[in-house]
Amino acid sequence: MATEAAGGLNPIEAFAIVGAAGVAAQWLAWRFRLPAIVLMLVAGLILGPVTGIFVPERDIGDLVAPMISLAVAVILFEGGLTLSFKQLADARPAVRRLVYIGAPLGWLMSTLVLRFGAGLSWESSMVFGGIMIVTGPTVIAPLLRQAKLQSRPAQILQWEGIVNDPIGALVAVLALGIVVVMHSDVPASEALLELGLGIGFATAVGVAAGWIIVQAFREGWVPEYMKVPLLFVTVLAVFAVSDSIMHESGLLAVTVMGLVIANADLPSYYELYRFKEHATILLVSGVFILLAAGIKFEALAQLNWWRTILFVVLVVCVARPLTVLISLIGTNLPWNEKLLIALTGPRGVVLVAVSGVFAERLASTGIEDGSQIAQLAFALVLATVVLHGFTLKPLADRLNLTSGGKPGLIVAGGSLFATGLGKALEKADVQVLITDPNRDHLRTARAAGVPVFYGDILGEAAENNVEFIAYSAILAASDNDAYNTLVATDLGPEFGREAIWQVSRDKEDRARHALPTQLGGRSINGNRTLAQYLELLAEGWEFRTTRLTAEYTLEKWRDVRQGAVPLVAINNGELWFIEDPAKLEGKPGMRLVSLIPPEIAENIRRENEQQTEMKGKARQVAKEEAEAVKRNQATETAGKANENTNRDDPDLIGEDTR
């Protein structure tokens, strides 16, 4: 406690340690494939109540509340920015049911669980029940990839989290407004009027701000480099202005603003969304570290733990399953998919961040148990993340809903090269999808039986019809270098740049044609263009899939396949393209997909023909030997039968004795 005795950290040190702890937790979660929220919770607890290194109230004092409020405003704006009504209309019927029926039903079920399970007042239960509609989109995606779910239930769970995220926040904001107005010292009629004015005012401010941003961006009134800063500042300004004029309206205003921008079909939407995503990661990390560091063990000790456990159990085993199963009545989903979705509902950082702000608002309104929702949120998030993190994959295995651990590859660009690579990868048990906006380019893939998608991989049709979660890597290999670079750059943030690959561009080795490192994907072995790969295939080069064993090692493969170009390695359910063959480490069970020269391919064919001939001769010899054995056995059986007959027939016995 030396730090505390010395007066703690100054604000600059405090901000630095919060940022470093939050980003480090996110990185460790990515590196070791763990839920980031658990690591952030641990980091916050260690910094705060365990060691006393960072105590928010002591080190940054009055800045804590406004910082969290502004961060939550940006988080809710992000939620609004993810909800496209067009995408919702095009989504699966199951997703729409989980939104139209599941959201209000989930609010009702959560409110009842909080009231009768956790023992909260109706006011706190209504507000917290609205927040609990959110299922944690930032948490569910890593869990789905780790569990390797089949594409349909995985897509439904992911879309439910994305769409219900802003809806839950919006419901909670409205519920909070209702509660605040109900506890004001004004007559009921005036309170209802004040509530209506507050909702209308916040909606008007949000719509107006969103419309102005849309018009400014669409008409070119703002240069590209200023769009993101202007949007960020506008969010903060809308929240501050709305909240200062009419208390509790700021959060609703920024959410509505996000909805307006999300549905305006702006050309710059994806750039704005990605920057906002990065800002949200920083803000979510910071808010969570602040909230966790500010936890007091004595406050946790005051919780009624048997009620807290009952609350968590009721949410996981009653409220969530009933909400999902009722919502999905009448859909064509099989029972095992419905059950998996019903039993999967992890809560995330947004729940904790928003509940932390609302807890203070409820407490300041005079609702005594309002402060408990922050602790209950921590308990629910920690319980559901740990529970689903350890049980989702076993549950999916039990229900036969895993993809079997297959790696997946999307090849953007149809060609003979893509078809040959796809067939070779299928032999290595890899799920392949070839996409191209030109139908003619997909003819060879269709004829070979490789799955295809006719359309632009970057278009809305692909977003709604291609189940990206089933694929772990992208290869941009069309006949258009600019399109390949666009695909690799655009999909890089979603898949991770380590999983984005691209055939070489023409003349890319010349300084005049070189691109910045942030554009395009990683190169594959050989650094050849698509045209050069097609020339090799025209010369008779062939794709081959080889499985390494303890006896047939990588070194032996290199000796036998001299001149071959190894392209892809598959091992333990992971797929990667080979950049430098010298750095490749072979392991038993690893499969290599390579291009081999025609002379080696011919030798392999001869060897296969000789082996086939030898196997045929061996089968013929075995057949002849089997027939000989059968004849001998038949002869022996007949001899024994005659001998037994001679012994048993009295006439023959008498004849022999005479």
Side-chain angles (χ1 to χ4, degrees), residues 53-105:
I53 294 174
F54 170 59
V55 179
E57 293 180 358
R58 179 196 68 202
D59 298 331
I60 54 179
D62 295 337
L63 294 177
V64 176
M67 281 179 59
I68 293 178
S69 295
L70 290 174
V72 169
V74 176
I75 292 170
L76 294 183
F77 169 74
E78 181 236 357
L81 203 58
T82 59
L83 183 53
S84 167
F85 296 129
K86 185 177 185 302
Q87 290 180 346
L88 179 58
D90 294 337
R92 295 181 182 274
V95 176
R96 294 199 296 270
R97 281 176 165 269
L98 288 173
V99 174
Y100 299 145
I101 301 175
L105 185 59

Side-chain angles (χ1 to χ4, degrees), residues 208-222 260-261 264 266:
W211 183 84
I212 292 172
I213 288 290
V214 168
Q215 291 301 117
F217 288 3
R218 186 172 285 158
E219 298 297 330
W221 299 340
V222 182
V260 172
I261 296 174
L266 283 176

Side-chain angles (χ1 to χ4, degrees), residues 257-318:
M257 176 183 167
L259 288 171
V260 172
I261 296 174
N263 293 277
D265 197 24
L266 283 176
S268 306
Y269 172 76
Y270 289 103
E271 291 83 355
L272 299 176
Y273 180 72
R274 288 206 174 108
F275 173 82
K276 178 265 323 166
E277 252 185 345
H278 299 158
T280 302
I281 288 175
L282 291 172
L283 292 171
V284 162
S285 303
V287 169
F288 205 82
I289 296 293
L290 281 172
L291 292 172
I295 289 178
K296 295 180 175 60
F297 287 142
E298 54 269 24
L300 291 177
Q302 294 176 358
L303 279 177
N304 189 326
W305 280 103
W306 79 264
R307 277 195 172 275
T308 302
I309 294 172
L310 177 63
F311 157 69
V312 173
V313 171
L314 289 175
V315 169
V316 174
C317 300
V318 179

